């Protein structure tokens, strides 16, 4: 704790909003965890027991970027302008997008997590939060994950503002940022725009995360843009072959993360299309245009 008796929750703002409901609070303190500012502190008077465990944080190294990731990033980069506020997740495509934005100016950041790509944009001078319309000059974030260097970067950094998930990811709060650009990914998308981003058929692969929150927030924001960025193909281990990620219909049992009315821009290595306001047939035609050539015959609507 600091000299005032407060302890930082470190790299995550989780559970801060429910502390008042607990019968007792036991905390683990770790000298390797950075002190991050924001709505991110407990006071010693709230704590019953303190346990020390000084283990290193688990690093999440940046994924290597391949040519397909760069192609997708280059397609999206043309839609991002100086002064926009961006949300990036973790993975190779966000890392590639970060590389493509290094020459931009006055970008802002409002995101669920801060990956290494965001840190690099700030260090390069491309991102300074100076034109954000909500929390200007600060990074808004719920948690941080990345390299060991990435974990130490927000330590006592007054530019980083961490807050609990219900506050940070509230789509109404996201939408208060003019020119908000949300970039997320999916596992499979059908030709109407439905995105299955958490399951492969009935099998759970990941979680919803902030995809719905930030997509809807960017959709609502003045000048906002929401992107689903995905490779056009994937290797299906069960089938032992490459398959299209743009499909006539989702696999049986798939979980729909984004409804078709939530999905706005979709980007693959073959281009970017905007589904907003389009009819079902126009959506199918648009998504077919950015599908892998070998699979287009399965998608073209009659």
């Amino acid at each position: 704790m600091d000299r005032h008796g407060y302890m930082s929750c470190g790299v995550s703002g989780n559970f801060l909003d429910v502390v008042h409901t607990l019968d007792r609070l036991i905390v683990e303190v770790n000298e390797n965890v950075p002190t991050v500012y924001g709505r991110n502190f407990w006071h010693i008077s709230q704590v019953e027991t303190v346990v020390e465990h000084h283990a290193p944080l688990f690093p999440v190294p940046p994924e290597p970027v391949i040519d397909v990731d760069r192609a997708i990033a280059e397609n999206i980069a043309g839609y991002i302008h100086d002064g926009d506020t961006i949300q990036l997740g973790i993975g190779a495509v966000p890392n590639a997008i970060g590389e493509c934005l290094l020459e931009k100016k006055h970008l802002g950041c409002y995101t669920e997590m801060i990956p290494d790509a965001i840190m690099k944009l700030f260090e390069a001078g491309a991102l300074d939060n100076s034109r954000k319309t909500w929390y200007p000059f600060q990074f808004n974030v719920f948690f941080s994950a990345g390299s060991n260097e990435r974990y130490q970067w927000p330590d006592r950094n007054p530019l980083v503002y961490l807050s609990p998930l219900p506050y940070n990811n509230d789509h109404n709060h996201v939408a208060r940022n003019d020119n908000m650009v949300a970039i997320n990914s999916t596992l499979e998308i059908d030709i109407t725009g439905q995105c299955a981003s958490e399951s492969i058929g009935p099998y759970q692969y990941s979680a919803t995360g902030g995809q719905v929150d930030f997509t809807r927030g960017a959709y609502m924001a003045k000048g906002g843009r929401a992107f689903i960025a995905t490779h056009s193909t994937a290797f299906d281990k069960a089938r032992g072959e490459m398959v299209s990620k743009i499909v006539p219909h989702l696999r049986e049992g798939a979980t729909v993360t984004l409804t078709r009315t939530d999905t706005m821009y979709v980007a693959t290595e073959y281009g970017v299309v905007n589904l907003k306001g389009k009819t079902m047939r126009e959506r199918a035609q648009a998504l077919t245009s950015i599908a892998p050539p070998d699979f287009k015959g399965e998608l073209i609507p009659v």
Side-chain angles (χ1 to χ4, degrees), residues 5 53 130 132 180 215 223 231 252 297:
H53 183 212
S130 62
K132 283 180 68 182
M180 180 73 208
T215 296
H231 290 199
E252 184 177 356

Side-chain angles (χ1 to χ4, degrees), residues 7 15 26 30 40 44 61 91 101 105 110 116 121 127 139 157 164 170 199 201 207 232 234 239 241 251 269 291:
M7 292 176 282
F15 311 125
I26 300 171
N30 186 338
N40 187 36
I44 190 62
L101 300 180
K105 298 177 181 178
Y110 192 105
D116 285 72
L121 285 170
L127 193 157
F139 295 84
N157 185 341
D170 186 326
S199 73
S232 67
R239 300 180 191 178
E241 61 183 4
R251 300 187 191 201
E269 66 270 31

Side-chain angles (χ1 to χ4, degrees), residues 157-212:
N157 185 341
L159 297 180
V160 179
Y161 188 92
L162 194 150
S163 56
L165 189 70
Y167 184 86
N168 187 82
N169 283 32
D170 186 326
H171 62 270
N172 292 298
H173 292 168
V174 176
R176 294 181 70 172
N177 296 284
D178 292 351
N179 303 308
M180 180 73 208
V181 180
I183 303 170
N184 292 280
S185 61
T186 193
L187 297 171
E188 190 176 60
I189 180 171
D190 74 14
I191 57 173
T192 72
Q194 293 186 118
C195 294
S197 306
E198 357 169 3
S199 73
I200 300 174
Y203 302 103
Q204 196 75 25
Y205 181 82
S206 64
T208 306
Q211 180 168 127
V212 177

Side-chain angles (χ1 to χ4, degrees), residues 93-166:
V93 172
N95 290 337
I97 291 171
E99 293 175 4
C100 289
L101 300 180
L102 291 173
E103 300 303 318
K104 298 292 184 181
K105 298 177 181 178
H106 305 302
L107 294 175
C109 174
Y110 192 105
T111 188
E112 181 177 17
M113 65 159 289
I114 297 183
D116 285 72
I118 291 291
M119 180 180 69
K120 291 177 181 178
L121 285 170
F122 175 76
E123 291 176 341
L127 193 157
D128 61 13
N129 293 304
S130 62
R131 296 187 185 176
K132 283 180 68 182
T133 51
W134 204 48
Y135 285 91
F137 298 103
Q138 286 189 307
F139 295 84
N140 293 86
V141 59
F142 161 59
F143 77 100
S144 175
S147 63
N148 288 320
E149 178 189 8
R150 174 64 208 81
Y151 283 129
Q152 295 308 312
W153 180 70
D155 185 42
R156 292 179 171 81
N157 185 341
L159 297 180
V160 179
Y161 188 92
L162 194 150
S163 56
L165 189 70

Side-chain angles (χ1 to χ4, degrees), residues 68-69 72 76 93 183-189 195 227-234 244-246 266-271 287 290:
V68 175
D69 302 318
I72 296 170
I76 293 176
V93 172
I183 303 170
N184 292 280
S185 61
T186 193
L187 297 171
E188 190 176 60
I189 180 171
C195 294
F227 292 84
I228 292 295
T230 180
H231 290 199
S232 67
T233 60
S244 176
K245 295 181 72 173
I246 300 175
V266 180
T268 71
E269 66 270 31
Y270 295 105
L287 287 168
I290 59 170

Side-chain angles (χ1 to χ4, degrees), residues 265-302:
Y265 288 95
V266 180
T268 71
E269 66 270 31
Y270 295 105
V272 181
V273 294
N274 186 359
L275 304 185
K276 187 175 182 179
K278 285 184 166 54
T279 65
M280 298 281 275
R281 182 176 179 83
E282 289 170 339
R283 287 167 172 264
Q285 291 172 332
L287 287 168
T288 299
S289 72
I290 59 170
D294 292 345
F295 294 91
K296 285 188 176 182
E298 303 172 10
L299 302 175
I300 297 174
V302 296

